[in-house]
Amino acid sequence: MSSPHRRRHRPALIVLVVVAFVACLGLAWWQWTRFESTDGTGQNLGYALQWPAFAAFVVYAYRRFVVLESDPEEVAKLDPATRGATEIRPDVLPPRPAARTGAVDKVDEVDDDASPEDRAHAEYNRYLSELARRDAR
């Protein structure tokens, strides 16, 4: 009656889970006593309720690790190809911007009646395009 999936016992990992679980519950108890003291606040109560959730997560994570390690079918369920993942319809997302061709050669053209900020912007763009040309050489 041997199982097709060999179970591995990892004593160090089990000890780590037990220590983490007990530590989380101990921290919850400590926060609860801080909450009940004269200088306790609602924050202490929040932590007192939060630490047991961390303890439960430690146990859940260990159990999930053991299941994924020993059951290839569970690992296969995580593969998007086996879950029937679907493609996103093209009309759902906005179109990607087209790549600018010859961006280094084109410099902002400024009209004669442009504002000083526009002229400064165009001059700065000319300067950047000159630097890009130098780097390209």
Side-chain angles (χ1 to χ4, degrees), residues 63-101:
R63 178 160 179 344
R64 187 73 177 143
F65 171 76
V66 169
V67 167
L68 289 176
E69 185 181 47
S70 64
D71 191 358
E73 292 173 8
E74 284 294 318
V75 175
K77 288 179 186 177
L78 296 176
D79 185 16
T82 60
R83 287 189 301 173
T86 59
E87 289 187 25
I88 298 175
R89 293 187 334 256
D91 61 328
V92 172
L93 300 175
R96 290 187 177 192
R100 291 177 51 182
T101 58

Side-chain angles (χ1 to χ4, degrees), residues 49-126:
L49 299 174
Q50 190 176 18
W51 280 111
F54 291 154
F57 178 75
V58 167
V59 173
Y60 167 78
Y62 173 73
R63 178 160 179 344
R64 187 73 177 143
F65 171 76
V66 169
V67 167
L68 289 176
E69 185 181 47
S70 64
D71 191 358
E73 292 173 8
E74 284 294 318
V75 175
K77 288 179 186 177
L78 296 176
D79 185 16
T82 60
R83 287 189 301 173
T86 59
E87 289 187 25
I88 298 175
R89 293 187 334 256
D91 61 328
V92 172
L93 300 175
R96 290 187 177 192
R100 291 177 51 182
T101 58
V104 173
D105 297 331
K106 294 182 180 179
V107 180
D108 288 350
E109 300 293 329
V110 179
D111 295 333
D112 292 335
D113 58 339
S115 69
E117 291 85 16
D118 290 339
R119 290 181 193 279
H121 186 85
E123 182 61 34
Y124 183 68
N125 283 344
R126 278 193 217 73

Side-chain angles (χ1 to χ4, degrees), residues 29-52:
W29 178 257
W30 172 65
Q31 286 294 334
W32 182 259
T33 58
R34 294 279 300 150
F35 170 69
E36 289 183 331
S37 70
T38 56
D39 60 342
T41 64
Q43 186 175 15
N44 296 115
L45 176 62
Y47 286 141
L49 299 174
Q50 190 176 18
W51 280 111

